[in-house]
Amino acid sequence: MEKAGATMHAAVLHSAGDLRYETVPTPAPREDEALVAISANGLCGSDVHFYESGRLGPFVVDRPYIPGHEAVGVIVRSSASRSASASVAVGARVAIEPGIPCRRCSYCLRGLYNLCAEVRFLSAPPENGTFAEYAAVPADFCHPVPDVLSDEEAALVEPVCVGLHACNRADIRPGAPFAIVGAGPIGLVTMLVAFACGAGPAIVLDVVGSRLQKAVELGAAHGVDAADSESAAREVVDATNGEGVPFVFDTSGSSAACALAPRLAARAGVVTIVGWPEASRFPFPIELVIERELDVRGINRYRNTFPAALELMRSRRVDVRPLISHRFAFERVLDAFEFASKNRIETIKVIVAETPKTTPSGEADAHRNE
Amino acid sequence: MEKAGATMHAAVLHSAGDLRYETVPTPAPREDEALVAISANGLCGSDVHFYESGRLGPFVVDRPYIPGHEAVGVIVRSSASRSASASVAVGARVAIEPGIPCRRCSYCLRGLYNLCAEVRFLSAPPENGTFAEYAAVPADFCHPVPDVLSDEEAALVEPVCVGLHACNRADIRPGAPFAIVGAGPIGLVTMLVAFACGAGPAIVLDVVGSRLQKAVELGAAHGVDAADSESAAREVVDATNGEGVPFVFDTSGSSAACALAPRLAARAGVVTIVGWPEASRFPFPIELVIERELDVRGINRYRNTFPAALELMRSRRVDVRPLISHRFAFERVLDAFEFASKNRIETIKVIVAETPKTTPSGEADAHRNE
Amino acid sequence: MEKAGATMHAAVLHSAGDLRYETVPTPAPREDEALVAISANGLCGSDVHFYESGRLGPFVVDRPYIPGHEAVGVIVRSSASRSASASVAVGARVAIEPGIPCRRCSYCLRGLYNLCAEVRFLSAPPENGTFAEYAAVPADFCHPVPDVLSDEEAALVEPVCVGLHACNRADIRPGAPFAIVGAGPIGLVTMLVAFACGAGPAIVLDVVGSRLQKAVELGAAHGVDAADSESAAREVVDATNGEGVPFVFDTSGSSAACALAPRLAARAGVVTIVGWPEASRFPFPIELVIERELDVRGINRYRNTFPAALELMRSRRVDVRPLISHRFAFERVLDAFEFASKNRIETIKVIVAETPKTTPSGEADAHRNE
Amino acid sequence: MEKAGATMHAAVLHSAGDLRYETVPTPAPREDEALVAISANGLCGSDVHFYESGRLGPFVVDRPYIPGHEAVGVIVRSSASRSASASVAVGARVAIEPGIPCRRCSYCLRGLYNLCAEVRFLSAPPENGTFAEYAAVPADFCHPVPDVLSDEEAALVEPVCVGLHACNRADIRPGAPFAIVGAGPIGLVTMLVAFACGAGPAIVLDVVGSRLQKAVELGAAHGVDAADSESAAREVVDATNGEGVPFVFDTSGSSAACALAPRLAARAGVVTIVGWPEASRFPFPIELVIERELDVRGINRYRNTFPAALELMRSRRVDVRPLISHRFAFERVLDAFEFASKNRIETIKVIVAETPKTTPSGEADAHRNE
């Protein structure tokens, strides 16, 4: 079953646009690490961004590396000596938490390990990711997957963790209305997690009608066209007795949308910024933050979320299956990247699996999730 | 429709066992109060306790008063002059929040109004309650009921608020396992609210098998017989990898069960005490509180919960319909008390309605919920 | 002693620049209100702003009103019938909390009464303030003043409350370094309160050297010239091992300074915005909020702070005496406004007292605090 | 300077009463550990307890081990390869945090490392402690000591951390009155830290008059004789307008006192249990926890407290010097244990130092602090 010490197939990004399906050395797990045979990967927008432009924020592709960080697989070898790994023995199916911290700085000791300055994030160049047959991961960053979940669902626990961390940071409350700015994959999972936390009803804003429609299918009470900020803000305020909502999540990655978020918030509201606005400095209505005593909270990935996210998925209180829009076999991983790059609006989540549930065919090599 | 200035029917408790269906003056709403025509009442265990023994805790029935505090009705007159009452105009269907605070002490100003020393609690003798045709209530303590909810469901928002306040005080987290000690009505609604907050799986403990069965029907993963504390504690610990659960709710009203609660808790766990133990001083394992750094939190009714609870019920994330076990017409309110008193174990919630959904008949004058 | 039912002297602002020392009717306390004979007032920057320009934010001077909201006095009459007023009987020396909420909206019931949409703020036109011989105030918004505090000190409990609310909102921690952007009166009281909460050491930034010097006299470890944002940010980061500080307070009222604040913050830091930036929309580094998972929290006045602030002052853990830079007799209130308007940088706090501690004399009619 | 690879002197406890001053191998620092040359130790009550009875809670002295865990010293060798150790290079004077967690379990990852099931606590048998010339400690558990602090003061940062963790867990608020039950060393440091957090005034309860006197010397407003629980509770309630205090700390280790603590608490109060009651199961007034909505919070040592505690000590907001009652040279460590065992009431903190500040002499071999 295992090919350790030997070689494996992997998707290797050499530079912008130059992704290759290659044979590379299988990684050797270090102390306290497990070797995971990858069975499925979700394709993240950041993977596509590196593929298209060779960089993202401070990270630059200056040597070949393996992308991918939404992965599930089976443990085939474990060097872990500690009790922490007892539940992740050889043979266990696990989801991989991809941000490995130093465990020794003040952030790690305080439990804020996602903010560790030395965090190794799998797939943040030059750190290798999970679009490969194997990955080596610390045993305590391998999280057991409940039987009820398929591999492709379990791969999506990573974006669910983003939504869960956003809800945790917001300290969202049961029975509280909320707004989501941006109905992309992260906006949708954040909405699903917020529902699972008891919050609602939801108002979702986007500039793409089909995304709003998807949000409504998934339970949003209102879809609001965000093309015009003035009318969008008015629509939300009108829908909430002139109050605004106590919780707003901006997942849009748009400066205009980010600046819109506080205008949707009720007094004492919490505005959680999940998406990175494309322009780094833009007019933000800080006067509303003061007048309404808002909290504006940033989030950077997640921490301590995998077990809870997997439980929410196991109990189907967060059901990510409707988010899987396309599937590719691992051998066609290059096609998956190219497809996602060319069809940004239409795709929600693309899954790349070792043993795909369906055989892709046709011109796009993609199987539309009806 | 309205009979104000005149008289109304009411259930009046004169002393232990002496409940009468009488004609009394209709209350006159004071400034900022609304007059509510009551359509349905839930029968609370505390009402039955006063009926049986004429006292509960510090409260004594020393003159006739009207019991009842789980009520829904329609506003028929409003003296409220303020904007706060805009959404509760004449004709609005509302649930009544029965604990009216002074609004001026430091607890009220801090939002802890349930702890106000001068709180008037409808149905806490000598304060009249809602087993009557009318009740006068401050407009801001009348909460609009969503159309989707029936009167009898809406009446149960009050016990749902107890569960919601318990979950708020516990700061229960999505994806977190929890245990409920005591599967009576409050235990069950607390479980339902905790599920709605994303928590789970649930372990429920009780000494009555039929109650455990009901808990499992409503979603509990395990029902544990609490008759023997040692084996019950061991069973919970075994079911949680030796860890215990991060959240425990004691709703049992039993000293032995209350002392059991901390033993079920994981390190850093939160033990929320909802039910009043029958013996006021008993051995409590404070050493576990220290060793495991537990939080033990008491709750006394609820605050700021009605709108959120009604939203959880509107969206059916908390569905109280399976908790309604019996129904009586208002004219048969004496029978309802007598029935509940004689069938404590079998009844979950008894509803007394002006226009009952079903016509009770048969020897017990009770209609069993299929 | 009392002149109720009759007339009193007051400072009345008719329009920008037109402040008059006039005779007006003494206010009549309503139910639950006390009549307070004012003994001292602090002069707030907002009072001066109305005096200079006739407006501030949404408030416009469109008819004559009395400014002033930092006041202490003695209760001379009380209509209060409730126990809440027991500690504020006739003869009690009290500090006035000037923002009176509706007590009935969801914000009031949640304890967020400073965010009540119907709050009456004494001295926010057209609401009369406290530059008068008498003011009528709800009994529970009159806070007993400990004997050890002089009238002029006690008058400054209001700005101390701004600093305390800022520290409460920030949830400042003992032993945590912090930065204050803006060393005006609010910046200085916020620093003093933060010290009293155990925080420190403090870095203070301002563009005026004399203010930085005052901050250092009051305990700041570093004074940083904020004229150049780049070098100021670098200086703070260098002084903190490249980390930044966990708590930043912006009290500057400057857009450039507000945008500087997040740059001074460590990962997981809290940036509390106390001062209203003069331009309402300006580039704010939201990307740092995300990358570092910052919390940006606005504050709007204060809530539930007077008793704690008075205790901090009583125990001299917050000593405001060094902040009193000038004193005027009440008869010279017009001179006080004119002086403060012409000497913005030099003045920290101006006190206007019925019985001034010192007799002002000389060309400026002001007595410099040694 | 260093004698590594060789031998060192140490106090070795072989069994109850059998403490020996011996020559043992110097420990070899493992990866990421530093070797610290110990300069001063505080003598903790738990050390004395092991000395007297050979056991404490679950820990039993079944083979020789070195006691001591309140230690300061100088780093003489460092195997640490990481940046985390940059500030703790060879030559740095450091305080030792003695509880070393596994860094990999869910408690460690959440920042609750004091609750890690695998924590190695220096001096908890069979783990060696710091009554020795050298100790090996992970570099990130060595905390730099500010220059202004003497060795003997710095050694007391460990008990200060207990007080700080208690205040953190209580979330004590500025200006809030509090009560301390038990005026031993931990009670006194908790009071000092609470003062440093802005809390007060303080009421202290104990059964020993000299301890109450010491508490008053250190700033307590009231000392209350706790011998009779009824009168003690009444005295506290009377001193607080019948309200009780919002924060109570039980540091007494007495069952009767622990049961008294909730009776001193105001509604919505927080009762933090710091001391282990001698009887593990005793009547605890859980009915007050419910009626008043109290929080009862246990604490087990501390986490993430050393840097903040050292800053509070550096700035003299927590001044532990008055707590040092006796000093011994390290060579006389056996005398120190014997003295502390025989003079429990009279001693507050005993310091054992390599280079004692004063030369002990006289019959008790102890130097009374002034």
Side-chain angles (χ1 to χ4, degrees), chain C residues 183 206-217 345-346 348:
Chain C
D206 203 305
V207 294
V208 178
S210 62
R211 289 184 160 182
L212 290 177
Q213 187 183 334
K214 186 72 183 179
V216 170
E217 282 170 25
I345 300 294
E346 294 81 359
I348 304 178

Side-chain angles (χ1 to χ4, degrees), chain A residues 202-258:
Chain A
I203 302 175
V204 176
L205 299 90
D206 204 306
V207 295
V208 178
S210 62
R211 290 185 160 181
L212 290 178
Q213 188 183 335
K214 186 73 182 178
V216 170
E217 282 169 26
L218 292 172
H222 301 278
V224 173
D225 182 355
D228 180 68
S229 287
E230 290 306 318
S231 67
R234 197 163 45 239
E235 195 171 337
V236 172
V237 170
D238 286 350
T240 53
N241 295 319
E243 276 288 316
V245 289
F247 296 95
V248 183
F249 298 89
D250 173 38
T251 68
S252 67
S254 150
S255 298
C258 185

Side-chain angles (χ1 to χ4, degrees), chain C residues 124-176:
Chain C
E127 200 72 43
N128 280 331
T130 55
F131 277 118
E133 287 181 275
Y134 295 95
V137 184
D140 57 339
F141 279 66
C142 295
H143 299 280
V145 172
D147 291 344
V148 69
L149 298 177
S150 69
D151 284 351
E152 62 179 27
E153 279 183 274
L156 296 190
V157 68
E158 201 270 352
V160 170
C161 282
V162 174
L164 179 55
H165 186 51
C167 287
N168 281 344
R169 281 276 290 154
D171 196 18
I172 200 160
R173 306 312 305 166

Side-chain angles (χ1 to χ4, degrees), chain A residues 115 169 267 280 287 295, chain C residues 115 169 267 280 287 295-296:
Chain A
L115 302 179
R169 280 276 289 153
R267 284 163 279 154
S280 68
E287 79 280 4
D295 274 24
Chain C
L115 302 179
R169 281 276 290 154
R267 283 163 281 152
S280 69
E287 78 281 2
D295 274 23
V296 179

Side-chain angles (χ1 to χ4, degrees), chain A:
Chain A
M1 181 181 182
E2 186 190 345
K3 305 169 223 169
T7 60
M8 66 175 185
H9 289 106
V12 180
L13 184 63
H14 287 252
S15 61
D18 183 8
L19 183 69
R20 305 179 196 171
Y21 183 72
E22 296 184 330
T23 299
V24 299
T26 300
R30 287 177 284 193
E31 191 199 341
D32 286 325
E33 284 192 340
L35 188 69
V36 180
I38 305 296
S39 42
N41 264 288
L43 184 49
C44 175
S46 66
D47 292 320
V48 178
H49 201 286
F50 278 115
Y51 171 68
E52 291 172 343
S53 65
R55 62 186 312 147
L56 182 61
F59 296 99
V60 179
V61 181
D62 50 12
R63 50 184 147 149
Y65 85 104
I66 301 172
H69 56 265
E70 303 178 357
V72 65
V74 172
I75 292 182
V76 291
R77 188 151 36 114
S78 179
S79 308
S81 54
R82 286 171 168 284
S83 61
S85 60
S87 63
V88 285
V90 168
R93 195 164 61 118
V94 296
I96 293 173
E97 179 170 354
I100 319 299
C102 84
R103 304 176 188 272
R104 291 177 182 278
C105 69
S106 72
Y107 292 90
C108 286
L109 290 175
R110 282 184 286 157
L112 307 170
Y113 64 77
N114 61 318
L115 302 179
C116 169
E118 298 182 39
V119 75
R120 288 189 305 122
F121 191 82
L122 306 188
S123 83
E127 200 71 42
N128 280 331
T130 55
F131 277 119
E133 286 181 276
Y134 296 95
V137 184
D140 55 339
F141 279 65
C142 294
H143 300 279
V145 172
D147 290 343
V148 70
L149 298 176
S150 69
D151 284 352
E152 61 179 29
E153 278 183 274
L156 297 190
V157 68
E158 201 269 354
V160 170
C161 283
V162 175
L164 179 54
H165 187 49
C167 288
N168 281 343
R169 280 276 289 153
D171 195 18
I172 200 160
R173 306 314 304 169
F178 66 95
I180 302 269
V181 184
I186 292 299
L188 294 176
V189 293
T190 301
M191 181 180 78
L192 294 181
V193 175
F195 283 151
C197 294
I203 302 175
V204 176
L205 299 90
D206 204 306
V207 295
V208 178
S210 62
R211 290 185 160 181
L212 290 178
Q213 188 183 335
K214 186 73 182 178
V216 170
E217 282 169 26
L218 292 172
H222 301 278
V224 173
D225 182 355
D228 180 68
S229 287
E230 290 306 318
S231 67
R234 197 163 45 239
E235 195 171 337
V236 172
V237 170
D238 286 350
T240 53
N241 295 319
E243 276 288 316
V245 289
F247 296 95
V248 183
F249 298 89
D250 173 38
T251 68
S252 67
S254 150
S255 298
C258 185
L260 173 60
R263 302 176 63 187
L264 313 179
R267 284 163 279 154
V270 178
V271 178
T272 304
I273 312 288
V274 186
W276 289 69
E278 79 271 17
S280 68
R281 306 272 167 125
F282 56 90
F284 188 79
I286 209 80
E287 79 280 4
L288 291 181
V289 175
I290 299 169
E291 183 187 341
R292 300 182 188 172
E293 279 207 356
L294 303 181
D295 274 24
V296 179
R297 300 180 185 166
I299 78 154
N300 192 340
R301 294 170 186 149
Y302 36 73
R303 58 176 170 261
N304 298 306
T305 48
F306 272 71
L310 286 162
E311 165 61 18
L312 292 177
M313 293 168 72
R314 182 200 66 75
S315 58
R316 299 295 189 209
R317 281 178 290 192
V318 172
D319 187 348
V320 296
R321 289 173 296 186
L323 301 180
I324 300 173
S325 57
H326 303 82
R327 298 175 174 91
F328 289 83
F330 180 49
E331 294 77 15
R332 290 188 167 166
V333 58
L334 308 192
D335 297 329
F337 273 75
E338 191 61 19
F339 178 83
S341 176
K342 292 218 169 114
N343 299 275
R344 277 194 168 275
I345 299 293
E346 295 80 0
T347 57
I348 304 178
K349 286 305 295 185
V350 173
I351 293 288
V352 178
E354 284 286 335
T355 312
K357 290 281 178 298
T358 63
T359 308
S361 67
E363 82 243 36
D365 272 322
H367 178 78
R368 178 89 195 155
N369 197 30
E370 70 249 68

Side-chain angles (χ1 to χ4, degrees), chain C residues 185-222:
Chain C
I186 292 298
L188 295 176
V189 293
T190 301
M191 181 181 77
L192 294 181
V193 174
F195 283 151
C197 294
I203 303 176
V204 177
L205 299 91
D206 203 305
V207 294
V208 178
S210 62
R211 289 184 160 182
L212 290 177
Q213 187 183 334
K214 186 72 183 179
V216 170
E217 282 170 25
L218 291 171
H222 301 279

